[in-house]
Amino acid sequence: MADGDNSWARRRFLKGVGIAGLTAGLAGTGTATPGRQPGAKPDEVLVGVSATAEDVPSTVAQYVPGNAEIVHTNETLRYVAVQFPSEAADTARENFIEAVTAKDHVKYAETNATHEAFATPNDPQFGSQYAPEQVNAPTAWDTTFGDSSVTIAVVDTGAQYDHPDLADNYASDPGRDFVDSDADPYPDVPADEYHGTHVSGCAAAVVDNGTGVAGQGNSTLINGRALDENGSGSTADIADAIQWAADQGADVVNLSLGGGGYTETMKNAVSYATNNGALVVAAAGNNGSSSVSYPAAYSESMAVSAVDDAENLASFSQYGDAVELAAPGVDVLSTTTETRGSYEQLSGTSMATPVVSGVAGLTLAQWSLSNADLRNHLKSTAGDIGLPSTQQGSGQVDAAAAVTTEPGSGGGDGGDGGDDGGTGDSTTTSVNGSLSSYADYDDYSYGWTYDAPSQVVVELDGPADADFDLYLNTGTTANASPGDYDYASYTADSQETIVVDAPDDSTDLQIDVDSYSGSGSYTVTVTEYQ
């Protein structure tokens, strides 16, 4: 332990760069175009708009070339999708991205990347389940089978929510279809579109109902259909589904998908869900490489690797420093569409991820925890299975330990490399400030309370009519800034969260609150976990 005193040192500056004054929002409005195609949308560019702009589509519309059009708007995440003709050269989209990002109120522009479901299907095999037993779910069930007040959102392909082993755990309003833009997330082609049904069962196939298989606990399920029957989906559809899940009050958002690379739109959606209290659990990826795919690689996401029934890293599982937990993901028996026989074995980090999500839901049935505290509790109670921390993170998720160990009391054996999720102790401190204009920012130095903290969460709560951003530096005395930072969160509004695992505490934490545009008061909160 350190001396126990948090220290904040504030250094206030006025930016001296010559930036043109912001213009008022234009009066015109963009209109959505019906008939967007489902699945991948490679011809689209996503443009993010600052909260200080009066209107999202009209801010962008004036810069859209004549051969393109705005086809989609998300007012909550503050972005539009601009579609170019399929025959347009890549340079047309690239030129538009370069030009529009230089305009007032535009925070970013990027292609509408394609993401895939992370499953590696095998021929159907029916045998005994091993995943719940490997993560000690039966022992946890001696305490609780779960609680319907806890909601897990499966953002995936559609799901057969009337499956005999899922129906009792699916909400009466089972979800929304972002691929076909309707209110029914049922699979379009059940013979091909089974991934979301399998993921749903891994998390919460009904336990103790005398039917089929068991998930990890009886949480309520909802499905945001963002991947089509081919298992592909655009950044925009997935981001919209994540935002929708958060707005439904989901406690856990399961993302068994990825591969589209870093995108601001997806990061903003994950940040939105995190800021609204959801734990985002995401698949590390299936190409066997030594780095984790996005969205699992975002600091707000809990990245999950896959292990087999001998607790060895699956040959396909990606791994790396971003991995936080491991779970069974090889030949996992779960629900599938009835067209395919109702039950089948699949392999992938797609299967490991909902095991963690299901255990998270089971844990919330026993303990009232914030998403940050839940994340750390799952890590502190994880079981060391003898793999390097880059492969198992804090260890394999352990349902029994998570349910029976009182949060804050420790009790987990943790993983290799010293990242054991901490003892469960935490401390929180806040500082208030204000910024006067786009040219203003505040820098702070934060002195650590704990030696070698396991995690730090920094949150910015700013005005709704401004756009403030958050930047961090660790292991240096250099001030953080938009041009020099180790970690950043810069959504279109002033609600920002940064999560850093095992932060470098050799120097004070450097924090920068920066006004992209607008003015007002804010609060910065730092939660440090031992």
Side-chain angles (χ1 to χ4, degrees):
M1 289 283 292
D3 61 8
D5 294 327
N6 302 107
S7 61
W8 288 87
R10 184 183 188 194
R11 290 163 293 190
R12 190 148 196 220
F13 300 88
L14 188 68
K15 287 185 281 193
V17 292
I19 303 176
L22 299 178
T23 59
L26 299 174
T29 59
T31 57
T33 301
R36 286 174 87 223
Q37 294 300 309
K41 299 175 178 65
D43 298 326
E44 293 183 0
V45 173
L46 306 181
V47 183
V49 178
S50 172
T52 52
E54 184 175 324
D55 180 79
V56 174
S58 65
T59 300
V60 180
Q62 59 186 315
Y63 308 119
V64 175
N67 66 335
E69 60 180 334
I70 293 176
V71 294
H72 178 67
T73 301
N74 185 313
E75 295 284 354
T76 302
L77 297 180
R78 301 190 65 83
Y79 78 85
V80 299
V82 178
Q83 184 178 43
F84 285 75
S86 58
E87 65 272 14
D90 290 341
T91 53
R93 287 180 286 274
E94 293 167 0
N95 290 340
F96 172 68
I97 289 173
E98 183 178 358
V100 78
T101 50
K103 305 302 183 182
D104 289 337
H105 303 294
V106 175
K107 297 213 72 171
Y108 68 86
E110 60 195 11
T111 57
N112 194 356
T114 302
H115 304 260
E116 306 285 346
F118 279 150
T120 305
N122 295 329
D123 292 334
Q125 301 177 44
F126 297 92
S128 61
Q129 283 182 275
Y130 76 94
E133 293 185 359
Q134 189 160 302
V135 301
N136 295 320
T139 302
W141 297 336
D142 289 339
T143 301
T144 179
F145 283 121
D147 195 306
S148 61
S149 66
V150 178
T151 299
I152 299 173
V154 175
V155 175
D156 211 285
T157 67
Q160 188 188 328
Y161 48 78
D162 62 355
H163 188 289
D165 217 359
L166 294 175
D168 286 349
N169 279 349
Y170 252 99
S172 57
D173 182 359
R176 181 171 173 78
D177 186 341
F178 294 88
V179 177
D180 294 331
S181 299
D182 61 48
D184 187 359
Y186 208 82
D188 279 0
V189 185
D192 298 329
E193 191 175 343
Y194 52 88
H195 189 267
T197 305
H198 199 275
V199 167
S200 297
C202 291
V206 182
V207 181
D208 199 37
N209 67 339
T211 300
V213 298
Q216 310 312 310
N218 287 332
S219 300
T220 293
L221 293 165
I222 56 175
N223 175 220
R225 183 176 183 252
L227 306 179
D228 64 13
E229 54 270 22
N230 298 311
S232 298
S234 70
T235 295
D237 288 345
I238 298 166
D240 289 356
I242 294 170
Q243 176 233 307
W244 164 84
D247 289 345
Q248 303 311 301
D251 299 286
V252 181
V253 177
N254 188 93
L255 302 178
S256 290
L257 50 83
Y262 182 99
T263 76
E264 287 298 331
T265 305
M266 186 77 79
K267 186 181 189 301
N268 289 348
V270 171
S271 295
Y272 181 85
T274 301
N275 292 339
N276 281 275
L279 176 66
V280 179
V281 185
N286 283 2
N287 69 16
S289 67
S290 59
S291 62
V292 170
S293 288
Y294 290 99
Y298 297 126
S299 64
E300 297 91 342
S301 300
M302 173 172 268
V304 179
S305 63
V307 296
D308 61 21
D309 58 1
E311 298 181 334
N312 295 315
L313 185 73
S315 60
F316 54 77
S317 181
Q318 288 170 236
Y319 58 95
D321 291 337
V323 169
E324 295 186 48
L325 288 173
V330 178
D331 291 337
V332 176
L333 181 63
S334 181
T335 50
T336 191
T337 55
E338 290 184 282
T339 302
R340 293 176 63 89
S342 295
Y343 301 93
E344 67 178 309
Q345 291 179 343
L346 297 178
S347 298
T349 51
S350 275
M351 287 61 252
T353 302
V355 171
V356 172
S357 294
V359 171
L362 191 63
T363 302
L364 289 175
Q366 180 69 9
W367 309 109
S368 178
L369 298 168
S370 69
N371 54 353
D373 288 336
L374 173 61
R375 184 175 184 170
N376 279 278
H377 184 63
L378 292 174
K379 291 168 65 177
S380 68
T381 56
D384 185 353
I385 53 176
L387 299 176
S389 61
T390 54
Q391 297 182 11
Q392 69 170 5
S394 295
Q396 183 171 247
V397 68
D398 189 320
V403 166
T404 61
T405 303
E406 184 174 356
S409 65
D413 52 10
D416 183 45
D419 180 15
D420 64 355
T423 65
D425 292 337
S426 65
T427 182
T428 299
T429 184
S430 298
V431 65
N432 299 317
S434 63
L435 299 177
S436 60
S437 72
Y438 73 90
D440 202 6
Y441 67 97
D442 285 338
D443 283 341
Y444 298 93
S445 292
Y446 169 82
W448 301 100
T449 296
Y450 302 125
D451 290 331
S454 66
Q455 187 184 81
V456 64
V457 179
V458 183
E459 299 167 281
L460 171 63
D461 182 9
D465 58 352
D467 185 357
F468 292 176
D469 298 327
L470 182 64
Y471 301 91
L472 304 181
N473 272 339
T474 58
T476 179
T477 58
N479 294 336
S481 71
D484 180 15
Y485 60 86
D486 293 328
Y487 306 93
S489 181
Y490 38 87
T491 65
D493 57 23
S494 300
Q495 306 301 309
E496 312 291 350
T497 300
I498 297 174
V499 181
V500 183
D501 283 319
D504 184 343
D505 64 344
S506 60
T507 64
D508 287 354
L509 177 66
Q510 308 301 319
I511 302 172
D512 173 55
V513 181
D514 186 277
S515 174
Y516 176 84
S517 56
S519 61
S521 299
Y522 65 82
T523 300
V524 175
T525 301
V526 176
T527 303
E528 189 181 340
Y529 295 89
Q530 192 172 25

